[in-house]
Amino acid sequence: MRVNAYAAPAAGQPLTPTLIERRDVGPHDVLIAIQYAGVCHSDIHTVNGDWGPQPFPVVPGHEIVGTVTEVGSDVTTHRVGDRVGVGCMVNSCDECAACRDGDEQYCVNGTVFTYASADRDGTHTQGGYSTHIVVDADFVLSVPENLDAAAAAPLLCAGITT
């Protein structure tokens, strides 16, 4: 699926409108129509190349709130229409000891981050400065309707933003 996004074409370059390819929704995935994506300083560091070489073009954004528009056949935790959020991780191997213990950030086969990371299918992940994202359902959180979605997005940061 091709979706609209804003990507940094190279280190230090401003974000520009582009089209990116999203993988198909698999049995364990959720497709989210993005409503809000916060701006974290790690996004800026990444697009500036401050943390080393990146797989440009890079679509940043890991503080995401949106609405589920499709669920995979094995997903039982989310339904179409649910308001959800995504933080800095979108997948893991789900097989190593760390993953089985709920410590996916220590995945010995490589945690899959929301952007600029190698995904399980070999592609590079692209973040929330786009219209849609496909995420493994285990990395999708419910966002209560009584929270303002724009204010909730930064709460999905793992660091200084919160």
Side-chain angles (χ1 to χ4, degrees):
M1 162 184 20
R2 295 192 77 120
V3 301
N4 292 315
Y6 286 90
Q13 297 296 308
L15 300 181
T16 58
T18 190
L19 290 172
I20 59 170
E21 191 69 32
R22 292 290 188 196
R23 63 184 169 82
D24 292 336
V25 174
H28 303 282
D29 294 329
V30 173
L31 174 64
I32 301 167
I34 297 172
Q35 295 167 307
Y36 295 95
V39 178
C40 180
H41 207 83
S42 62
D43 301 332
I44 297 165
H45 282 304
T46 300
V47 300
N48 283 338
D50 296 338
W51 292 340
Q54 300 297 322
F56 290 104
V58 170
V59 176
H62 65 270
E63 304 171 354
I64 301 165
V65 172
T67 303
V68 174
T69 60
E70 184 179 344
V71 296
S73 59
D74 294 343
V75 175
T76 60
T77 52
H78 305 287
R79 294 186 179 125
V80 171
D82 286 355
R83 185 158 62 151
V84 296
V86 177
C88 64
M89 297 184 297
V90 293
N91 210 342
S92 71
C93 80
D94 202 32
E95 297 174 359
C96 71
C99 287
R100 286 192 314 268
D101 288 343
D103 294 323
E104 294 89 350
Q105 70 273 21
Y106 300 120
C107 178
V108 299
N109 296 307
T111 301
V112 179
F113 295 101
T114 308
Y115 60 83
S117 187
D119 205 345
R120 296 285 166 240
D121 64 359
T123 63
H124 282 97
T125 57
Q126 300 290 357
Y129 298 171
S130 59
T131 58
H132 294 78
I133 191 167
V134 178
V135 179
D136 181 289
D138 288 344
F139 295 87
V140 177
L141 305 168
S142 294
V143 176
E145 291 294 330
N146 64 343
L147 285 180
D148 175 58
L155 296 175
L156 294 158
C157 183
I160 195 76
T161 302
T162 54

